[in-house]
């Protein structure tokens, strides 16, 4: 199970125009927003990735608003693991569990998850917060990531795992996120 004190959120390439062309874009954006809000509530590191932002644009405005002024890690490689800056920020985060959201499931998400699983990370993929332009590519990517050892989960399942109990100071704001 995910433990908030040991987890970080990876937000992969949730860039505006690209995000809108995905299968079920509203669901994916809404769930990414929930993950960001919960990560902030739980004081988890958030690593923001952007694939070639000069061409694909910045992170979707609705998500950027939640992220504040935290800069994104720009990349041209499909796997974020090929970025030295990503590897540095991942090491600096000091977390062993990674909760992954983003697009496209069968390209950048898949290749990043594949490479993270070769390192000493436990990778959880929020299946309702990842997508591709086609449902087929999204589904095959989730299947392949599961076969490689990633934990396929959902946004709420992951968040409730980290919340653990319906008590404490965090529960009321947590309930507002997942309602």
């Amino acid at each position: 199970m995910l433990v908030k004190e040991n987890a970080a959120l990876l937000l992969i390439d949730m860039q505006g125009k690209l995000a809108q062309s995905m299968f079920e874009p509203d669901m994916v954006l809404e769930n990414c927003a929930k993950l960001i809000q919960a990560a902030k509530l739980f004081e988890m590191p958030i690593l923001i990735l952007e694939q070639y932002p000069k061409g694909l644009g910045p992170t979707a405005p609705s998500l950027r608003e939640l992220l504040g002024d935290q800069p994104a890690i720009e990349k041209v490689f499909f796997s974020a693991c090929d970025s030295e800056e990503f590897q540095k920020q991942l090491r600096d985060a000091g977390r062993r569990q990674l909760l992954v959201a983003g697009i496209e499931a069968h390209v950048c998400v898949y290749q990043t998850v594949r490479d993270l699983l070769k390192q000493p990370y436990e990778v959880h993929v929020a299946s309702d917060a990842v997508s591709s332009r086609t449902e087929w590519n999204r589904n095959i990517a989730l299947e392949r990531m599961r076969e490689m050892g990633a934990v396929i989960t959902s946004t709420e399942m992951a968040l409730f795992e980290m919340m653990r109990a319906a008590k404490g100071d965090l529960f009321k704001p947590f309930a507002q996120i997942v309602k």
Side-chain angles (χ1 to χ4, degrees):
M1 286 185 39
L2 284 164
V3 177
K4 63 183 175 287
E5 295 82 9
N6 194 36
L9 175 62
L10 304 186
L11 187 66
I12 300 175
D13 305 344
M14 285 301 299
Q15 293 158 261
K17 291 179 187 176
L18 184 62
Q20 288 303 320
S21 67
M22 295 298 112
F23 172 70
E24 298 185 333
D26 295 338
M27 177 191 72
V28 174
L29 282 163
E30 180 182 318
N31 287 321
C32 284
K34 288 179 182 180
L35 291 169
I36 292 165
Q37 291 170 319
K40 290 175 83 172
L41 178 68
F42 295 155
E43 299 180 356
M44 292 167 47
I46 302 172
L47 282 76
I48 309 159
L49 295 146
E50 290 180 349
Q51 178 73 23
Y52 185 62
K54 290 180 182 112
L56 296 175
T59 298
S62 62
L63 301 180
R64 178 42 66 193
E65 185 177 318
L66 296 171
L67 293 163
D69 60 359
Q70 180 183 343
I73 302 165
E74 294 185 18
K75 64 185 184 68
V76 292
F77 298 105
F78 298 129
S79 173
C81 294
D82 289 329
S83 162
E84 289 180 28
E85 181 59 24
F86 172 74
Q87 291 286 6
K88 178 189 178 308
Q89 287 191 30
L90 192 56
R91 279 190 307 275
D92 291 349
R95 305 295 175 104
R96 289 290 157 220
Q97 293 181 317
L98 304 173
L99 179 55
V100 178
I103 55 178
E104 284 195 64
H106 69 294
V107 184
C108 295
V109 174
Y110 162 74
Q111 290 187 30
T112 299
V113 167
R114 177 198 62 205
D115 290 347
L116 288 169
L117 288 167
K118 294 176 187 174
Q119 300 178 39
Y121 294 106
E122 180 183 316
V123 182
H124 296 246
V125 179
S127 60
D128 54 355
V130 300
S131 196
S132 294
R133 283 167 285 154
T134 68
E135 182 179 15
W136 178 261
N137 279 329
R138 178 185 157 273
N139 292 344
I140 198 72
L142 290 169
E143 183 180 318
R144 293 272 310 271
M145 289 184 278
R146 176 180 282 136
E147 288 172 357
M148 291 183 304
V151 177
I152 306 302
T153 189
S154 70
T155 295
E156 284 200 9
M157 181 180 251
L159 296 182
F160 277 95
E161 280 182 21
M162 291 187 287
M163 187 62 223
R164 291 278 194 259
K167 65 178 186 173
D169 294 340
L170 297 182
F171 185 69
K172 191 171 184 174
F174 172 80
Q176 292 300 309
I177 294 169
V178 296
K179 71 173 184 167

